[in-house]
Amino acid sequence: MDNNNDKDYLLSFGIDEGGEKTDFTCSIEECMSHALEELETIEYELSETVTSIKNLTPDCDKIDYALAISSGVLCGLIDVFLVSKPGESPLGNITDKWFAEKTKKFASFCGWKGNEKDSLHSAIRFLENKFKIPFDQIRPDEAASEVFNMTAKNHHFKSLSHNPSLIGLFFAIVDQFTNTSHFVGNGYVIVQESNNGFELVGTNNVSKLFCGFANWIGHLISDNSGSSSSKGRGSGIPSPLWT
């Protein structure tokens, strides 16, 4: 009989006419074995529940909580007094000037004839022309704008090839070999053919790989301080942790 998961076992037996023998129709050992199996199942589920509760319970002491609070307060102070908002950030102004100087020096190393007094946009334009790539849609067409809301301000962040990481390098090489662009929008990876007449320089696959890597590095450096057509600060490129 089974009622609300409670089981009763009925052991029926018979007695011969002389009363000297008894004959059980089911085994006591079988019933005991079944009961032990149920007990093991209950013990396993109980131990699993206790383990899951321990995993969900934070094992922190006073020092852990104090460090967490101190970290939050320190990050808040840095954000308020050093980071602030774009255009009014003391730390941002310092880093912008540093990247601008490094961009000019790299352009000079690559053959730019300007100097430190010349416009940053001149150095960026030189690098853009020297390190041409197919995945830099400055003015996206209407289809891209409608499908995944790409604009001139966010195309560096939606373009996988603009990521300064191994993922960005992989897609930059693929885009240069296939003359395409890979973007992320609305949870999808979107491939768009480029029609800017790009052609990867090289006589074999090895030389093309090297040229593709050099183009990628040079283009990322040119985008550190925005594009040559940007007004003001520019959007730059994603940070490595953005990936």
Side-chain angles (χ1 to χ4, degrees), residues 19 43 57 80 94 122 224:
E43 290 178 347
T57 304
V80 171
I94 295 174
S122 175
N224 273 331

Side-chain angles (χ1 to χ4, degrees), residues 198-211:
F198 172 82
E199 184 177 355
L200 185 60
V201 178
T203 57
N204 53 42
N205 289 334
V206 176
S207 61
K208 287 184 177 181
L209 281 173
F210 176 78
C211 290

Side-chain angles (χ1 to χ4, degrees), residues 58-77:
D59 188 15
C60 301
D61 54 17
K62 294 181 179 179
I63 297 178
D64 295 324
Y65 288 114
L67 289 175
I69 295 172
S70 302
S71 176
V73 172
L74 180 61
C75 290
L77 293 175

Side-chain angles (χ1 to χ4, degrees), residues 75 97 156 160 176 227:
C75 290
K97 291 180 181 179
H156 284 177
L160 289 172
Q176 292 180 77
S227 65

